[in-house]
Amino acid sequence: MIELSPQFAVFLMFSLMLLGLLVGHPLAFVLGGVGAMVGFVGWGPGALFMMVSRTYSTLNNQILIAIPLFVLMAVFLEKSGIAEGLFTAMMHLFGKLRGGVALTVTILSVVFAATTGVVGASVVSMSLMSIPVMMKYKYDKQLAAGVVISGGTLGILIPPSIMLILMADQSGQSVGRLFAGAFIPGVLLGTLYFMYVLILALLHPERAPALTDKQKGEVNKMQLIRMLLINFIPPILLILGVLGTIWLGVATPTEASGVGAFIAFMLMIVYGKFSWKTLFISLKQALVTNAMVMATIIGASIFTGVFLGLGGGDVVTEIILSMEGFGKWGIFAMMMFIIFILGFLIDWIGIIFISFPIFLPIANEIGFDPTWFVVILAINLQMSFLTPPVGYSLFYLKGSVDPKVINLGQIYRGIIPFVFLQMIGLLLCILFPSTVTFMANLVG
Amino acid sequence: MTGLKKILIYCEKLIEWTGSIVCWLLMALMGLAVFEVITRRFLGSPTIWTFELSGFLLAAITVLSLAYTQLHYGHVNIDFLYDRLSRRGKAIIDIITFFPFYLLYCLIFIYFGGRYAAESWAIREAAPTAWNPVIYPIKALIPLGAALLLLIGIVQLIRNIVIAIKGEEL
């Protein structure tokens, strides 16, 4: 065992982590490995034993059960083909409008964001569905990339979101309150994207053209209404059912997620998409997503346990409190800045584990509303998903599109206007806390 | 070489098989949540065991699917630098990073998780709840899951070493 000064421990842990991440090793193992290494050297094996035993309670945590179940719900819903049906229907509806396809992507993202709660899933499925269509009709590539990434990323913010579930677990607040608090900010961001695309399409029709009747094919009004109803009603009912029962306190998040998954499963059968093979593929897909999230949770909890144990928390607190001269908003700005910077490196799981135990007591101390504060962090975190160079959403899109169609440079440039829109959204929620607290207080 | 190749493929099949089995537990977890809602909300006669059993299922699903996820490279990573490397360059980087990160992650859960499970096993530990289930088998799943993760990690390590040396897949 070697005596490590807290400052040195912070430096060591972050530089080792950075090294591991930049060479492309999985986040879960980097976090766990660095925690183990530094913990073993600076703290001794006893600490590691303690942390492994803590993993056991993480593994059968009652709140986290909602994570695999919401993932399952999203996968079943995706396989039911409702999203594709809705996409086609809305394309006919908005097709004659300039930027119609991009607008469809944005609306669809808001609706389906509420059913996924996993960034990777929503960005990938949205991109597979809409990028080929937008390319076919000569949409601007940067705009196409921007709407898909920004819309798909809303999935992590608009409830039910697994990020908010983990945040509830780590902050001791109820899942229902956080779900309610994040609702308006999520819809607000979606509205900003929608207006941006609308205005852009008016000013630059060549970047987001309207479709002619010949391009979108003929569909009469009755058929269109039927398509819309068939594909719009089920997801809306599912969302309202899941969120409503949690908000009204009728169901726990675990129950709601289980029933939600079950209903999505039934939809898959009703829409004629069930086969044993599809079910098997869905389950395996959900298994991988769940394992990825949980492995990172485990790694992050070891990293954070060691980080806090070696005094890293005090070092960060000191940095934050150095802004005390600027009042509580100085401290607030510093915390937001740290989250934003961390967002370049590690994903939301790591950030929640590292920042919550340090930030929440400070926020409490200076009198911020706890629900508001956590939701603001959530908005900031989802922004970090799409800020270049390291935004996970950017890579999800890159992974699902041929680089000859849209390359990384175009993705980077395409997302910039949306990052600004997010900053506006974040600022609005900071200036008008009622955007968050109004719904949260309704839930109680 | 063919002997080695056979062993590697056999190990990968084993891990694939664990995923194929464990994924059905998700259906059980879903069924359990629905069952809980029906018994508690509609029939008014909640059971004492669904709640805890769901927790055990989450633990089992998670630890037993870590290796399956690694087999399909499902653990999230940052690849914007990594992707620019050649297949051989990736293999070399993977060999180097295996030891400080991956191996350590596995070993910690095999060693300390094993000790933790052994202590529990020695006293035949049961949860102090109304249902009072034994929990040492669940705790034992942690080192087991980590051992599977290590197994697939070693398989991939050997494949990477072959690529690094010979420049081609085994």
Side-chain angles (χ1 to χ4, degrees):
Chain A
M1 214 179 115
I2 302 164
E3 202 64 47
L4 297 177
S5 80
Q7 284 81 2
F8 184 66
V10 170
F11 171 75
L12 191 64
M13 290 187 81
F14 275 97
S15 27
L16 285 174
M17 181 181 76
L18 192 60
L19 195 72
L21 291 178
L22 285 182
V23 295
H25 202 70
L27 179 66
F29 309 133
V30 170
L31 287 172
V34 171
M37 253 185 287
V38 177
F40 200 82
V41 173
W43 202 358
L48 293 179
F49 182 71
M50 201 171 74
M51 258 158 274
V52 170
S53 62
R54 216 174 56 179
T55 304
Y56 172 72
S57 42
T58 308
L59 282 172
N60 58 54
N61 181 314
Q62 291 297 334
I63 295 177
L64 300 187
I65 293 173
I67 292 179
L69 291 175
F70 276 134
V71 171
L72 199 59
M73 177 175 107
V75 174
F76 283 151
L77 205 64
E78 184 205 321
K79 296 282 186 275
S80 71
I82 293 176
E84 279 90 351
L86 190 55
F87 182 75
T88 317
M90 286 182 66
M91 222 174 67
H92 284 290
L93 194 65
F94 288 116
K96 280 184 184 161
L97 222 61
R98 284 177 187 169
V101 186
L103 293 175
T104 300
V105 172
T106 307
I107 296 182
L108 215 61
S109 297
V110 173
V111 175
F112 281 90
T115 60
T116 56
V118 195
V119 165
S122 45
V123 173
V124 170
S125 61
M126 209 54 78
S127 118
L128 293 178
M129 217 160 34
S130 68
I131 295 276
V133 180
M134 286 194 274
M135 291 303 102
K136 193 171 153 200
Y137 298 127
K138 303 273 185 295
Y139 266 64
D140 180 53
K141 291 180 176 181
Q142 297 178 20
L143 176 69
V147 288
V148 169
I149 295 174
S150 58
T153 309
L154 279 179
I156 199 87
L157 184 64
I158 298 184
S161 124
I162 58 173
M163 177 169 84
L164 293 174
I165 292 171
L166 190 65
M167 285 184 154
D169 178 51
Q170 290 293 304
S171 69
Q173 296 195 55
S174 83
V175 173
R177 246 186 102 80
L178 289 187
F179 274 12
F183 190 76
I184 293 180
V187 175
L188 174 73
L189 286 178
T191 313
L192 287 174
Y193 302 160
F194 189 87
M195 287 180 348
Y196 169 74
V197 174
L198 209 58
I199 294 169
L200 188 81
L202 277 178
L203 298 178
H204 302 279
E206 76 286 354
R207 295 184 64 186
L211 307 189
T212 61
D213 279 339
K214 208 174 138 203
Q215 281 172 328
K216 63 187 179 65
E218 280 305 324
V219 173
N220 68 37
K221 275 213 176 76
M222 281 315 289
Q223 280 173 316
L224 182 59
I225 292 172
R226 195 168 160 267
M227 270 164 83
L228 276 175
L229 287 182
I230 288 181
N231 295 299
F232 196 65
I233 304 288
I236 292 294
L237 285 181
L238 185 62
I239 295 159
L240 291 181
V242 167
L243 293 184
T245 47
I246 296 177
W247 286 345
L248 294 172
V250 181
T252 64
T254 313
E255 291 171 342
S257 61
V259 174
F262 182 70
I263 295 173
F265 179 57
M266 287 294 147
L267 286 177
M268 189 168 97
I269 296 174
V270 172
Y271 281 71
K273 295 289 159 57
F274 175 84
S275 71
W276 288 102
K277 198 175 160 220
T278 312
L279 176 61
F280 194 40
I281 293 171
S282 312
L283 291 177
K284 283 180 159 182
Q285 208 177 321
L287 193 68
V288 167
T289 305
N290 176 62
M292 182 264 277
V293 171
M294 292 295 287
T296 313
I297 290 180
I298 295 167
S301 79
I302 292 186
F303 182 93
T304 310
V306 172
F307 183 79
L308 296 177
L310 291 174
D314 299 334
V315 175
V316 178
T317 304
E318 229 168 80
I319 295 174
I320 294 170
L321 291 183
S322 68
M323 300 297 286
E324 229 172 349
F326 297 94
K328 74 176 189 176
W329 293 106
I331 294 172
F332 176 81
M334 191 63 196
M335 290 196 277
M336 287 294 136
F337 180 70
I338 292 176
I339 296 270
F340 191 70
I341 295 298
L342 279 178
F344 283 128
L345 308 171
I346 47 182
D347 75 349
W348 52 277
I349 302 167
I351 296 178
I352 292 173
F353 269 90
I354 294 170
S355 69
F356 271 37
I358 304 171
F359 287 10
L360 295 188
I362 299 177
N364 236 352
E365 186 85 1
I366 52 184
F368 288 129
D369 178 89
T371 306
W372 172 81
F373 186 73
V374 169
V375 172
I376 293 294
L377 289 185
I379 301 172
N380 191 344
L381 262 184
Q382 72 95 48
M383 189 155 83
S384 75
F385 268 103
L386 31 77
T387 32
V390 185
Y392 286 82
S393 296
L394 308 173
F395 298 121
Y396 288 127
L397 179 67
K398 196 203 73 182
S400 63
V401 177
D402 184 348
K404 281 186 216 115
V405 177
I406 300 181
N407 63 38
L408 194 59
Q410 286 163 329
I411 295 178
Y412 280 173
R413 285 192 296 278
I415 199 61
I416 289 171
F418 291 91
V419 173
F420 279 111
L421 292 173
Q422 296 217 323
M423 286 179 177
I424 295 171
L426 181 64
L427 207 62
L428 285 174
C429 294
I430 292 171
L431 292 176
F432 305 103
S434 56
T435 46
V436 176
T437 51
F438 174 71
M439 285 282 280
N441 289 337
L442 280 186
V443 170
Chain B
M1 265 313 183
T2 50
L4 177 65
K5 193 174 173 181
K6 263 188 191 155
I7 294 172
L8 296 188
I9 291 174
Y10 186 75
C11 292
E12 283 162 347
K13 276 193 178 147
L14 173 77
I15 301 297
E16 181 66 40
W17 180 77
T18 60
S20 305
I21 305 244
V22 172
C23 71
W24 293 99
L25 292 180
L26 283 169
M27 287 304 266
L29 187 64
M30 181 182 91
L32 213 56
V34 175
F35 176 79
E36 161 89 353
V37 172
I38 293 172
T39 52
R40 199 153 67 96
R41 307 287 176 186
F42 296 107
L43 303 180
S45 57
T47 59
I48 53 168
W49 49 269
T50 43
F51 204 56
E52 281 171 278
L53 188 59
S54 315
F56 295 157
L57 274 177
L58 175 67
I61 289 168
T62 301
V63 293
L64 295 179
S65 63
L66 294 175
Y68 175 79
T69 303
Q70 177 61 24
L71 174 69
H72 294 283
Y73 299 99
H75 291 292
V76 61
N77 68 332
I78 299 177
D79 53 9
F80 78 110
L81 292 177
Y82 183 77
D83 259 6
R84 295 179 192 185
L85 299 171
S86 65
R87 182 72 195 89
R88 197 172 198 166
K90 282 180 185 158
I92 293 170
I93 288 286
D94 283 345
I95 294 166
I96 298 169
T97 50
F98 175 82
F99 295 96
F101 304 121
Y102 193 98
L103 180 65
L104 211 54
Y105 188 95
C106 297
L107 284 184
I108 285 214
F109 285 103
I110 293 173
Y111 179 69
F112 292 106
R115 263 180 52 190
Y116 184 62
E119 280 179 16
S120 173
W121 202 293
I123 57 167
R124 298 286 186 274
E125 189 183 2
T129 55
W131 182 32
N132 198 27
V134 288
I135 52 177
Y136 54 90
I138 300 294
K139 290 186 175 176
L141 288 180
I142 297 178
L144 176 64
L148 290 173
L149 185 64
L150 183 59
L151 177 69
I152 193 63
I154 290 173
V155 168
Q156 291 174 340
L157 179 72
I158 294 172
R159 286 189 179 281
N160 280 326
I161 290 174
V162 173
I163 291 171
I165 294 172
K166 293 174 62 180
E168 56 188 50
E169 307 268 349
L170 182 67

